[in-house]
């Protein structure tokens, strides 16, 4: 069942972080391979010919692409350890809905915050906070979105925390001031070893964003 | 007996996915047509986040987003499965569903634009069709689901039917069958399946709706 597992990844990718957390939660050993996205490996291009993107999870030589699908796959294959997706069909639908929401909103809005200025950036910040507040509503009084243990939504969302410092610096605002419940949830997640060891430091991500801004000629 | 309700819009490919799934599995349901310019309080209550159709309500509990709905339906009513049982095959299937879902915006991008923006949309359509032709229908399969249709076939239905109407509205031929022989064959096979053939929006009615929408858009641009 374990077989050979390789994760093609790029250290600041919140999508790659999702799979890292899922594998760590279940204590599954794997080989992590860092990709240089300006010089993609033949393996990456072969394993993800359609999108040529990371992360790619390769299990016994067969690729699984798209982080959300990887997390579901990992959960199904190693279902006896630390289940991430609820067993009740309705709860699964709710979890999938919110993972889809994170995918539709958080990355694009966050990107707009660091890439743009003026009105476009202001609108992105506003909508970003609104989305985090909706997520806070869904979290409610629970320890994690998954209840007492990490779940699908937790794994899908928490990696974006590593980009919050960059968003705050570029957008000149405080996410914690607007969404304290969200940050409290993040801190609870970060106390888990599987999360802490899978995520890079926010300062490092910010340095990376500054490099990107230089590269793209963004002020 | 559990009650199943579906909130939809008569022209929405996303609503049709759910209709096909329910009919394939023989699940009785009540259909509620929504006027998307005047959404019902019930829809807004069931889908406060996106305020969109389709919404499935099962035993009073709402499920939103067509791909989430279809997975739910497949789990509650396993007959005539829409997804493979094997985790790897399921992951591969979900990949193509996501691919199709991520390209859905190309429909409105094509008929709600003109000039350079529309040219860009045409280019994106062709790129998508090339990927379908080259990567998605490998192994000479009749359907994405093999011998029977599955969720991927339903997800690509916008290519099989809706694209044709949009092409007529904008007066452009984007899908040239000889350039995409595998996709072309798939389209013919897909549209000949009884549950699909008998459950498609009226093409003339859709043409009129989209044509009107396009004319309004072009008029407001020239103001």
């Amino acid at each position: 069942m374990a077989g050979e597992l390789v994760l093609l990844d790029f250290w600041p990718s919140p999508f790659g972080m999702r799979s890292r957390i899922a594998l760590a939660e279940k204590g599954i050993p794997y080989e992590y391979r860092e990709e240089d996205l300006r010089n993609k490996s033949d393996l990456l291009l072969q394993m993800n010919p359609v999108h040529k993107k990371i992360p790619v999870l390769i299990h016994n030589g067969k690729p699984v692409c798209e982080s959300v699908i990887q997390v579901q796959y990992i959960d199904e294959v190693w279902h006896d350890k630390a289940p991430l997706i609820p067993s009740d069909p309705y709860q699964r639908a709710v979890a999938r809905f919110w993972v889809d929401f994170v995918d539709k909103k958080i990355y694009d809005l966050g990107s707009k915050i660091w890439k743009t200025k003026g009105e476009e950036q202001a609108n992105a910040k506003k909508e970003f906070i609104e989305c985090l507040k909706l997520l806070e509503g869904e979290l409610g009084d629970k320890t994690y979105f998954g209840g007492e243990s990490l779940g699908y939504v937790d794994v899908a969302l928490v990696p974006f925390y590593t980009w919050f410092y960059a968003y705050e610096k570029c957008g000149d605002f405080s996410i914690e001031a607007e969404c304290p419940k969200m940050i409290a949830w993040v801190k609870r997640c970060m106390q888990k070893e599987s999360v802490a060891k899978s995520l890079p430091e926010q300062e490092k991500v910010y340095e990376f964003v500054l490099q990107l801004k230089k590269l793209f000629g963004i002020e | 007996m559990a009650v199943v309700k579906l909130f939809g819009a008569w022209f929405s490919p996303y609503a049709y996915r759910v209709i096909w799934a329910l009919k394939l599995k023989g699940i009785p349901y009540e259909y509620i047509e929504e006027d998307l310019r005047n959404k019902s309080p019930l829809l807004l209550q069931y889908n406060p986040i996106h305020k969109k159709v389709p919404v499935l309500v099962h035993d009073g509990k709402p499920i939103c987003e067509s791909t989430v709905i279809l997975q739910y339906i497949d789990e509650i009513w396993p007959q005539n499965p829409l997804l493979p049982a094997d985790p790897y095959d399921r992951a591969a299937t979900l990949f193509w569903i996501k691919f199709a879902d991520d390209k859905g915006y190309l429909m409105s991008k094509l008929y709600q634009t003109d000039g350079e923006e529309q040219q860009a949309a045409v280019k994106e359509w062709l790129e998508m069709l090339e990927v379908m032709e080259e990567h998605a229908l490998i192994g000479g399969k009749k359907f994405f689901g093999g011998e029977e249709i599955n969720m991927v076939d339903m997800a690509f239905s916008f290519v099989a039917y809706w694209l044709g109407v949009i092409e007529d509205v904008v007066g452009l031929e984007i899908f040239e069958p000889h350039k995409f022989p595998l996709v072309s064959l798939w389209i013919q096979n897909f549209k000949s399946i009884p549950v699909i053939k008998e459950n498609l929006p009226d093409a003339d009615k859709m043409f009129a709706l989209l044509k009107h929408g396009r004319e309004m858009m072009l008029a407001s641009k020239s103001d």
Side-chain angles (χ1 to χ4, degrees):
Chain A
M1 189 157 75
E4 191 196 80
L5 258 183
V6 179
L7 181 67
L8 302 182
D9 202 347
F10 179 50
W11 70 268
S13 163
F15 305 102
M17 290 174 214
R18 290 167 168 177
S19 299
R20 288 175 230 166
I21 295 170
L23 291 165
E25 261 296 279
K26 291 168 184 279
I28 302 157
Y30 66 98
E31 184 195 336
Y32 178 95
R33 280 198 212 170
E34 188 72 25
E35 281 284 332
D36 176 358
L37 297 185
R38 292 159 304 176
N39 188 20
K40 293 174 182 177
S41 70
D42 289 338
L43 185 64
L44 173 58
L45 299 177
Q46 183 198 330
M47 292 283 137
N48 192 354
V50 173
H51 299 303
K52 307 175 177 51
K53 284 181 172 180
I54 55 91
V56 179
L57 184 73
I58 310 172
H59 188 202
N60 293 330
K62 296 194 297 185
V64 179
C65 304
E66 299 295 340
S67 62
V68 164
I69 297 171
Q70 287 163 8
V71 173
Q72 181 163 320
Y73 176 78
I74 290 165
D75 204 48
E76 284 174 17
V77 175
W78 291 275
H79 50 83
D80 47 346
K81 296 186 203 182
L84 298 168
I85 300 179
S87 46
D88 170 70
Y90 187 71
Q91 291 308 318
R92 287 158 87 88
V94 173
R96 285 181 179 135
F97 172 85
W98 286 104
V99 169
D100 176 71
F101 178 82
V102 171
D103 264 5
K104 278 184 159 86
K105 302 284 187 185
I106 303 299
Y107 182 74
D108 285 345
L109 288 170
S111 293
K112 278 198 178 143
I113 294 173
W114 71 262
K115 281 182 181 172
T116 68
K117 281 250 166 305
E119 203 182 325
E120 208 184 339
Q121 189 191 53
N123 288 337
K125 276 161 61 178
K126 184 167 169 285
E127 212 188 323
F128 181 77
I129 294 295
E130 280 166 7
C131 288
L132 290 187
K133 289 199 160 126
L134 286 170
L135 285 160
E136 282 183 325
E138 172 57 21
L139 177 66
D141 293 323
K142 301 197 293 283
T143 310
Y144 306 104
F145 286 91
E148 286 307 305
S149 56
L150 279 189
Y152 200 25
V153 183
D154 301 277
V155 174
L157 179 60
V158 80
F160 289 98
Y161 170 67
T162 59
W163 285 66
F164 280 11
Y165 181 66
Y167 299 155
E168 286 174 323
K169 293 289 273 187
C170 296
D172 190 28
F173 69 127
S174 161
I175 295 170
E176 186 162 11
E178 306 266 6
C179 304
K181 275 185 120 181
M182 175 107 316
I183 300 302
W185 161 78
V186 168
K187 290 188 174 151
R188 290 195 291 274
C189 290
M190 292 297 282
Q191 281 172 5
K192 306 216 84 189
E193 203 192 330
S194 58
V195 176
K197 73 175 189 184
S198 300
L199 304 188
E201 282 168 31
Q202 292 195 89
E203 287 81 6
K204 277 196 138 179
V205 173
Y206 178 50
E207 273 167 37
F208 171 71
V209 169
L210 290 177
Q211 279 170 27
L212 283 181
K213 281 172 81 123
K214 242 190 186 167
L215 205 66
F216 294 131
I218 306 166
E219 288 289 301
Chain B
M1 189 73 210
V3 174
V4 178
K5 295 187 193 205
L6 173 63
F7 290 77
W10 66 270
F11 51 83
S12 161
Y14 302 100
Y16 273 93
R17 294 183 191 183
V18 183
I19 291 170
W20 296 326
L22 292 168
K23 285 190 187 274
L24 268 174
K25 290 170 181 279
I27 302 155
Y29 65 98
E30 182 195 339
Y31 177 81
I32 297 131
E33 176 70 22
E34 279 287 328
D35 176 356
L36 298 183
R37 296 157 303 179
N38 187 20
K39 294 169 184 177
S40 73
L42 210 50
L43 175 67
L44 299 177
Q45 178 196 322
Y46 284 137
N47 193 356
I49 306 287
H50 299 304
K51 306 174 176 55
K52 284 181 174 181
V53 293
V55 176
L56 188 82
V57 182
H58 184 212
D59 282 347
K61 296 180 293 189
I63 300 123
C64 309
E65 294 300 310
S66 63
T67 295
V68 177
I69 295 170
L70 257 59
Q71 287 183 78
Y72 175 80
I73 289 172
D74 210 41
E75 286 169 15
I76 300 282
W77 297 282
Q79 67 271 27
N80 296 332
L82 302 173
L83 286 174
D86 172 70
Y88 186 79
D89 293 340
R90 187 156 46 234
T93 303
L94 288 169
F95 173 88
W96 287 110
I97 295 164
K98 183 175 201 299
F99 178 86
D101 281 353
D102 287 347
K103 301 292 180 188
Y105 74 95
L106 286 177
M107 283 184 279
S108 53
K109 192 169 180 183
L110 186 58
Y111 81 86
Q112 279 176 3
T113 62
D114 59 353
E116 264 182 44
E117 233 189 310
Q118 193 183 52
Q119 282 309 304
V122 171
K123 189 164 172 282
E124 283 181 81
W125 265 103
L126 292 172
E127 281 166 1
M128 185 202 64
L129 290 166
E130 279 160 20
V131 171
M132 276 177 84
E133 181 75 21
E134 202 184 327
H135 295 283
L137 273 163
I138 47 170
K141 292 191 296 194
K142 193 172 176 194
F143 301 109
F144 294 98
E147 282 304 303
E148 309 279 346
I149 60 166
N150 72 1
M151 267 175 75
V152 180
D153 298 274
M154 295 181 188
F156 277 122
S157 60
F158 72 101
V159 175
Y161 187 72
W162 277 261
L163 174 61
V165 180
I166 296 170
E167 283 176 312
D168 289 343
V169 169
V170 301
L172 289 171
E173 191 195 7
I174 288 144
F175 185 85
E176 292 173 88
H178 68 275
K179 286 192 177 164
F180 307 103
L182 292 178
V183 178
S184 189
L185 188 59
W186 168 76
I187 290 173
Q188 285 169 47
N189 288 333
F190 181 71
K191 289 204 286 196
S192 60
I193 298 213
V195 77
I196 305 294
K197 199 166 56 172
E198 291 154 20
N199 295 285
L200 283 171
D202 182 78
D204 294 332
K205 219 178 149 191
M206 241 199 338
F207 176 86
L209 178 78
L210 298 182
K211 187 92 185 161
H212 177 72
R214 182 171 175 75
E215 276 159 12
M216 299 269 285
M217 182 276 303
L218 289 171
S220 70
K221 268 192 163 186
S222 60
D223 280 343

